Amino acid sequence: MKKYNTPLIDQLEKGPWPSFVTEMKKAGKTNEMANDAVGHLEKCYTTKMGYWKHGGIVGVLGYGGGVIGRYSEIGDEFPGVAHFHTVRLNQPSGFFYTSKALREICDIWDKYGSGLTNVHGSTGDLVLLGTKTDALEAIFAEYSSRGWDLGSSGSALRTPSCCVGPGRCEWTMYDTLGLNYALTQEFQDEMHRPTFSYKFKIKSSGCACDCVASIARADMSIIGTWKGDIQIDQNEVKNYASKMNINAEIINMCPTQCMSYDGKELKINNAECSRCMHCIAKMTKALKPGKERGATICIGSKAPIVVGSLLSWVIVPFIKIEEPYTEVKELIRKIWDWWDENAKPRERIGEVIEMKGMRSFLEAIGVPPMPQQIKEPRKDPFMFYTEDDIASYKAKEAEEKKTGKYKF
């Protein structure tokens, strides 16, 4: 194999952190595709140009997604990357792998591809970087025969992902792993045969710590929460008080200022609590979530393409997440029906809601309006008063004061 001189990308190997360039070079010692990928990258840095071109639709029989076509404009110079398609594998819920499973994935990929991987992509899939068109069917056949499936790509439901949930976390409010698996099985057609206006991502977080960053990256975020009062162990509060400044680190950091501590007792006005989990995460032995647990469903986050980046906003403040998850599945289908009817090509659902309005959306999916759904105050007041209205109100107020019926 050709040895490439790489003075520019060599700079990326310097410093205290592991470098992807080092890993590419390691793979390139035994794999021609990975070796040419190293030379190709150096050429891009040297000329300050990108040579990858969109490959259009490329896939395997029966699947419209899961493989991202990629070709190089300078394939004659670097034949190993003339075709360099990306294959997505559907990851296990919570990213739990055994060493045997990872070895199996890598052995098959070394056989058919570049050996380069990305664990994981931002959507969640285990990403296999670089293979040729004529190897795709063989790759799919070998992975599927061992129980692996392709992930999603294109204008489809992207591979659902979730946090580790009850597998490792004491704070999870519902079974994120079970829900993630159930949604993946339920919506196979929507994942593998793209029919949407654009992509749709579902991410499940067991609590508001949101370890999969669903509120910033998912069209639909399912975030664990609770009803009722936070459970307080005052004896443990005293133990924390001996190690930390509770007022500085907990009380003053509360976003709704619903907490107080007088040096003896911690009090919480639970009606004002936004369930952000900051106090619970900092005082794990003293505070626990309430006993009635479920999830908040948010909608609409995305990275900037058409109208800029969006964060999710609440549509269902509290919902029970229990097998067989019928209520969640039905809500998802209603959301998709409205989106399908109103979206233009390449419009994410958050963008459509911004244009059509939350009222239209809520009416279509059968969810009543609630105060928690208000993302920001309206620029215009909801109600308008004439001078006659104000005069009438003042006269009524004066009369009530005379008769002793005035209450405010």
Side-chain angles (χ1 to χ4, degrees):
M1 285 185 288
K2 182 177 179 179
K3 173 70 174 176
Y4 291 104
N5 185 33
T6 57
L8 293 181
I9 64 173
D10 288 348
Q11 298 295 315
L12 299 177
E13 296 184 89
K14 298 180 179 179
W17 308 109
S19 171
F20 73 94
V21 174
T22 301
E23 301 307 314
M24 288 179 68
K25 289 179 179 179
K26 283 182 184 178
K29 291 179 181 179
T30 56
N31 188 293
E32 182 181 357
M33 295 183 74
N35 185 56
D36 277 2
V38 171
H40 191 276
L41 183 63
E42 178 69 22
K43 174 101 176 185
C44 291
Y45 274 69
T46 302
T47 61
K48 299 181 181 179
M49 290 182 65
Y51 297 100
W52 296 112
K53 56 184 179 180
H54 190 275
I57 299 298
V58 60
V60 298
L61 187 62
Y63 281 58
V67 180
I68 299 116
R70 183 172 287 118
Y71 302 88
S72 174
E73 293 177 351
I74 48 176
D76 292 342
E77 186 176 348
F78 301 97
V81 296
H83 296 192
F84 205 71
H85 308 314
T86 292
V87 177
R88 287 175 170 168
L89 286 186
N90 192 329
Q91 81 283 355
S93 294
F95 307 108
F96 284 103
Y97 295 93
T98 63
S99 56
K100 179 183 177 182
L102 289 171
R103 189 173 291 110
E104 179 178 80
I105 290 168
C106 292
D107 287 346
I108 296 172
W109 188 236
D110 283 339
K111 181 177 175 182
Y112 294 106
S114 70
L116 301 175
T117 63
N118 177 2
V119 186
H120 289 86
S122 61
T123 296
D125 301 296
L126 194 152
V127 179
L128 310 175
L129 297 162
T131 191
K132 299 182 184 301
T133 304
D134 57 10
L136 291 174
E137 290 291 347
I139 289 170
F140 175 65
E142 197 149 344
Y143 277 122
S144 61
S145 70
R146 289 163 172 78
W148 297 97
D149 196 9
L150 293 187
S152 178
S153 65
S155 296
L157 169 64
R158 295 301 179 85
T159 312
S161 65
C162 66
C163 68
V164 297
R168 288 184 67 93
C169 183
E170 64 183 303
W171 295 330
T172 188
M173 310 295 162
Y174 68 95
D175 184 359
T176 57
L177 308 175
L179 176 66
N180 194 71
Y181 180 77
L183 296 182
T184 301
Q185 296 302 315
E186 177 76 13
F187 299 122
Q188 285 289 296
D189 274 359
E190 288 80 3
M191 287 174 56
H192 295 309
R193 297 163 185 88
T195 59
F196 290 169
S197 303
Y198 201 20
K199 66 183 81 169
F200 192 97
K201 298 180 180 181
I202 300 175
K203 296 185 185 296
S204 303
S205 286
C207 75
C209 291
D210 197 13
C211 292
V212 290
S214 66
I215 201 163
R217 301 190 301 157
D219 298 273
M220 184 173 184
S221 313
I222 306 173
I223 303 174
T225 190
W226 67 91
K227 278 186 175 181
D229 296 350
I230 294 175
Q231 302 175 68
I232 306 174
D233 186 332
Q234 296 292 351
N235 290 327
E236 287 295 343
V237 171
K238 292 176 183 178
N239 290 336
Y240 278 101
S242 65
K243 304 170 188 175
M244 64 190 294
N245 186 330
I246 290 180
N247 278 307
E249 297 181 48
I250 305 297
I251 308 303
N252 294 342
M253 299 294 288
C254 176
T256 61
Q257 295 295 292
C258 70
M259 307 178 72
S260 63
Y261 180 63
D262 59 6
K264 296 179 181 179
E265 185 179 13
L266 180 69
K267 294 181 180 179
I268 302 175
N269 180 0
N270 284 276
E272 295 296 322
C273 175
S274 64
R275 315 295 199 273
C276 76
M277 289 286 294
H278 170 72
C279 60
I280 295 174
K282 296 288 284 185
M283 301 173 67
T284 56
K285 294 181 179 180
L287 303 173
K288 291 182 180 179
K291 294 181 180 180
E292 186 179 358
R293 301 182 180 185
T296 294
I297 295 182
C298 302
I299 203 82
S301 69
K302 58 174 281 294
I305 292 182
V306 179
V307 297
S309 57
L310 297 171
L311 290 179
S312 290
W313 61 97
V314 174
I315 58 166
V316 180
F318 186 86
I319 185 173
K320 286 284 191 180
I321 307 291
E322 297 171 339
E323 291 186 277
Y325 311 112
T326 303
E327 192 174 358
V328 176
K329 293 174 184 176
E330 289 178 351
L331 178 62
I332 290 170
R333 292 198 183 278
K334 289 177 183 177
I335 289 170
W336 286 344
D337 286 344
W338 180 85
W339 180 42
D340 185 53
E341 281 197 16
N342 291 281
K344 299 173 184 176
R346 295 186 70 82
E347 274 188 340
R348 300 282 283 274
I349 190 166
E351 295 165 331
V352 182
I353 292 173
E354 284 225 321
M355 294 175 203
K356 295 288 184 178
M358 180 61 81
R359 177 178 176 176
S360 169
F361 174 67
L362 292 176
E363 287 176 350
I365 65 174
V367 173
M370 290 169 268
Q372 295 94 329
Q373 295 161 346
I374 297 173
K375 190 176 184 181
E376 59 191 21
R378 283 176 48 155
K379 294 177 182 177
D380 300 318
F382 286 90
M383 303 178 74
F384 298 88
Y385 296 96
T386 66
E387 290 185 7
D388 290 341
D389 291 330
I390 296 171
S392 176
Y393 174 79
K394 287 183 176 180
K396 182 181 178 182
E397 181 183 57
E399 181 63 28
E400 287 178 348
K401 285 181 178 178
K402 283 182 181 180
T403 59
K405 295 180 180 179
Y406 186 68
K407 297 180 180 180
F408 301 100

Short mmCIF file of all heavy atoms in Angstrom, two decimals, residues 376-399:
data_model
loop_
_atom_site.label_atom_id
_atom_site.label_comp_id
_atom_site.label_asym_id
_atom_site.label_seq_id
_atom_site.Cartn_x
_atom_site.Cartn_y
_atom_site.Cartn_z
N GLU A 376 -43.35 30.66 25.58
CA GLU A 376 -42.94 32.03 25.87
C GLU A 376 -44.18 32.92 25.83
O GLU A 376 -45.17 32.57 25.18
CB GLU A 376 -41.91 32.53 24.84
CG GLU A 376 -42.44 32.49 23.43
CD GLU A 376 -41.35 32.73 22.41
OE1 GLU A 376 -40.16 32.54 22.72
OE2 GLU A 376 -41.70 33.12 21.29
N PRO A 377 -44.17 34.05 26.53
CA PRO A 377 -45.35 34.93 26.51
C PRO A 377 -45.63 35.45 25.11
O PRO A 377 -44.71 35.66 24.31
CB PRO A 377 -44.94 36.08 27.45
CG PRO A 377 -43.81 35.55 28.25
CD PRO A 377 -43.10 34.56 27.39
N ARG A 378 -46.90 35.64 24.81
CA ARG A 378 -47.25 36.24 23.52
C ARG A 378 -46.82 37.70 23.49
O ARG A 378 -46.78 38.39 24.51
CB ARG A 378 -48.75 36.15 23.30
CG ARG A 378 -49.20 34.75 22.88
CD ARG A 378 -50.70 34.65 22.76
NE ARG A 378 -51.29 35.75 22.00
CZ ARG A 378 -52.45 35.65 21.37
NH1 ARG A 378 -53.13 34.53 21.40
NH2 ARG A 378 -52.95 36.68 20.72
N LYS A 379 -46.54 38.19 22.30
CA LYS A 379 -46.17 39.59 22.16
C LYS A 379 -47.39 40.50 22.36
O LYS A 379 -47.26 41.64 22.78
CB LYS A 379 -45.56 39.83 20.77
CG LYS A 379 -44.24 39.11 20.56
CD LYS A 379 -43.72 39.31 19.15
CE LYS A 379 -42.43 38.55 18.94
NZ LYS A 379 -41.95 38.67 17.55
N ASP A 380 -48.57 40.00 22.01
CA ASP A 380 -49.80 40.77 22.16
C ASP A 380 -50.62 40.20 23.32
O ASP A 380 -50.59 39.00 23.56
CB ASP A 380 -50.64 40.69 20.87
CG ASP A 380 -49.88 41.25 19.69
OD1 ASP A 380 -49.22 42.29 19.87
OD2 ASP A 380 -49.92 40.62 18.62
N PRO A 381 -51.38 41.05 24.02
CA PRO A 381 -52.21 40.54 25.11
C PRO A 381 -53.32 39.65 24.58
O PRO A 381 -53.75 39.78 23.44
CB PRO A 381 -52.76 41.80 25.76
CG PRO A 381 -52.69 42.84 24.70
CD PRO A 381 -51.50 42.50 23.86
N PHE A 382 -53.77 38.72 25.42
CA PHE A 382 -54.84 37.83 25.02
C PHE A 382 -56.17 38.55 24.95
O PHE A 382 -57.06 38.17 24.20
CB PHE A 382 -54.95 36.67 26.03
CG PHE A 382 -53.84 35.66 25.90
CD1 PHE A 382 -52.68 35.80 26.63
CD2 PHE A 382 -53.97 34.59 25.05
CE1 PHE A 382 -51.67 34.88 26.52
CE2 PHE A 382 -52.96 33.66 24.93
CZ PHE A 382 -51.79 33.80 25.66
N MET A 383 -56.37 39.58 25.80
CA MET A 383 -57.67 40.24 25.89
C MET A 383 -57.50 41.75 25.73
O MET A 383 -56.47 42.30 26.11
CB MET A 383 -58.34 39.91 27.22
CG MET A 383 -58.50 38.41 27.46
SD MET A 383 -59.21 38.02 29.04
CE MET A 383 -60.91 38.46 28.76
N PHE A 384 -58.52 42.38 25.20
CA PHE A 384 -58.47 43.83 25.00
C PHE A 384 -59.65 44.47 25.74
O PHE A 384 -60.75 43.92 25.76
CB PHE A 384 -58.54 44.17 23.50
CG PHE A 384 -57.40 43.62 22.72
CD1 PHE A 384 -57.46 42.34 22.18
CD2 PHE A 384 -56.25 44.38 22.52
CE1 PHE A 384 -56.39 41.83 21.46
CE2 PHE A 384 -55.19 43.87 21.80
CZ PHE A 384 -55.26 42.59 21.27
N TYR A 385 -59.42 45.62 26.35
CA TYR A 385 -60.46 46.31 27.12
C TYR A 385 -60.69 47.71 26.53
O TYR A 385 -59.74 48.43 26.22
CB TYR A 385 -60.05 46.45 28.58
CG TYR A 385 -59.92 45.12 29.30
CD1 TYR A 385 -58.68 44.51 29.43
CD2 TYR A 385 -61.04 44.50 29.85
CE1 TYR A 385 -58.55 43.29 30.08
CE2 TYR A 385 -60.92 43.29 30.51
CZ TYR A 385 -59.68 42.69 30.63
OH TYR A 385 -59.56 41.49 31.27
N THR A 386 -61.98 48.08 26.40
CA THR A 386 -62.33 49.44 25.99
C THR A 386 -62.42 50.32 27.24
O THR A 386 -62.41 49.83 28.37
CB THR A 386 -63.68 49.45 25.26
OG1 THR A 386 -64.71 49.08 26.18
CG2 THR A 386 -63.67 48.47 24.08
N GLU A 387 -62.53 51.62 27.03
CA GLU A 387 -62.69 52.54 28.17
C GLU A 387 -63.98 52.25 28.93
O GLU A 387 -64.03 52.37 30.16
CB GLU A 387 -62.66 53.98 27.67
CG GLU A 387 -61.29 54.43 27.19
CD GLU A 387 -61.26 55.90 26.82
OE1 GLU A 387 -62.29 56.58 27.07
OE2 GLU A 387 -60.23 56.36 26.31
N ASP A 388 -65.03 51.86 28.21
CA ASP A 388 -66.30 51.52 28.86
C ASP A 388 -66.14 50.29 29.76
O ASP A 388 -66.71 50.22 30.85
CB ASP A 388 -67.39 51.26 27.83
CG ASP A 388 -67.82 52.53 27.12
OD1 ASP A 388 -67.55 53.62 27.67
OD2 ASP A 388 -68.43 52.43 26.04
N ASP A 389 -65.35 49.31 29.30
CA ASP A 389 -65.11 48.11 30.11
C ASP A 389 -64.43 48.48 31.42
O ASP A 389 -64.78 47.99 32.49
CB ASP A 389 -64.23 47.12 29.34
CG ASP A 389 -64.94 46.49 28.16
OD1 ASP A 389 -66.17 46.36 28.22
OD2 ASP A 389 -64.25 46.13 27.19
N ILE A 390 -63.43 49.35 31.33
CA ILE A 390 -62.67 49.74 32.51
C ILE A 390 -63.55 50.53 33.48
O ILE A 390 -63.53 50.32 34.69
CB ILE A 390 -61.44 50.57 32.10
CG1 ILE A 390 -60.48 49.69 31.27
CG2 ILE A 390 -60.72 51.13 33.32
CD1 ILE A 390 -59.35 50.44 30.62
N ALA A 391 -64.36 51.46 32.93
CA ALA A 391 -65.27 52.25 33.77
C ALA A 391 -66.28 51.34 34.48
O ALA A 391 -66.58 51.51 35.67
CB ALA A 391 -66.00 53.29 32.94
N SER A 392 -66.80 50.34 33.75
CA SER A 392 -67.76 49.40 34.33
C SER A 392 -67.12 48.59 35.45
O SER A 392 -67.73 48.36 36.50
CB SER A 392 -68.30 48.47 33.24
OG SER A 392 -69.15 47.50 33.78
N TYR A 393 -65.86 48.16 35.22
CA TYR A 393 -65.16 47.38 36.23
C TYR A 393 -64.94 48.21 37.50
O TYR A 393 -65.15 47.73 38.63
CB TYR A 393 -63.82 46.88 35.68
CG TYR A 393 -62.97 46.19 36.71
CD1 TYR A 393 -63.22 44.87 37.08
CD2 TYR A 393 -61.92 46.87 37.34
CE1 TYR A 393 -62.46 44.24 38.05
CE2 TYR A 393 -61.16 46.26 38.31
CZ TYR A 393 -61.43 44.94 38.65
OH TYR A 393 -60.67 44.31 39.61
N LYS A 394 -64.55 49.48 37.32
CA LYS A 394 -64.30 50.34 38.48
C LYS A 394 -65.58 50.61 39.27
O LYS A 394 -65.57 50.66 40.51
CB LYS A 394 -63.66 51.65 38.03
CG LYS A 394 -62.21 51.49 37.60
CD LYS A 394 -61.59 52.83 37.23
CE LYS A 394 -60.12 52.67 36.89
NZ LYS A 394 -59.49 53.97 36.54
N ALA A 395 -66.70 50.77 38.56
CA ALA A 395 -67.99 51.00 39.23
C ALA A 395 -68.39 49.77 40.04
O ALA A 395 -68.86 49.87 41.19
CB ALA A 395 -69.06 51.33 38.19
N LYS A 396 -68.17 48.59 39.46
CA LYS A 396 -68.50 47.35 40.16
C LYS A 396 -67.62 47.18 41.38
O LYS A 396 -68.08 46.77 42.46
CB LYS A 396 -68.33 46.16 39.20
CG LYS A 396 -68.70 44.82 39.83
CD LYS A 396 -68.49 43.69 38.84
CE LYS A 396 -68.82 42.35 39.49
NZ LYS A 396 -68.58 41.21 38.59
N GLU A 397 -66.33 47.50 41.23
CA GLU A 397 -65.38 47.40 42.34
C GLU A 397 -65.80 48.32 43.49
O GLU A 397 -65.79 47.92 44.67
CB GLU A 397 -63.98 47.74 41.85
CG GLU A 397 -62.89 47.64 42.91
CD GLU A 397 -61.55 48.07 42.37
OE1 GLU A 397 -61.45 49.22 41.88
OE2 GLU A 397 -60.62 47.26 42.42
N ALA A 398 -66.20 49.56 43.16
CA ALA A 398 -66.63 50.52 44.19
C ALA A 398 -67.86 50.03 44.91
O ALA A 398 -67.99 50.17 46.15
CB ALA A 398 -66.87 51.89 43.54
N GLU A 399 -68.82 49.46 44.17
CA GLU A 399 -70.06 48.96 44.78
C GLU A 399 -69.76 47.80 45.75
O GLU A 399 -70.34 47.72 46.84
CB GLU A 399 -71.01 48.50 43.68
CG GLU A 399 -72.35 47.97 44.18
CD GLU A 399 -73.17 49.02 44.91
OE1 GLU A 399 -73.01 50.23 44.62
OE2 GLU A 399 -73.97 48.63 45.78
#
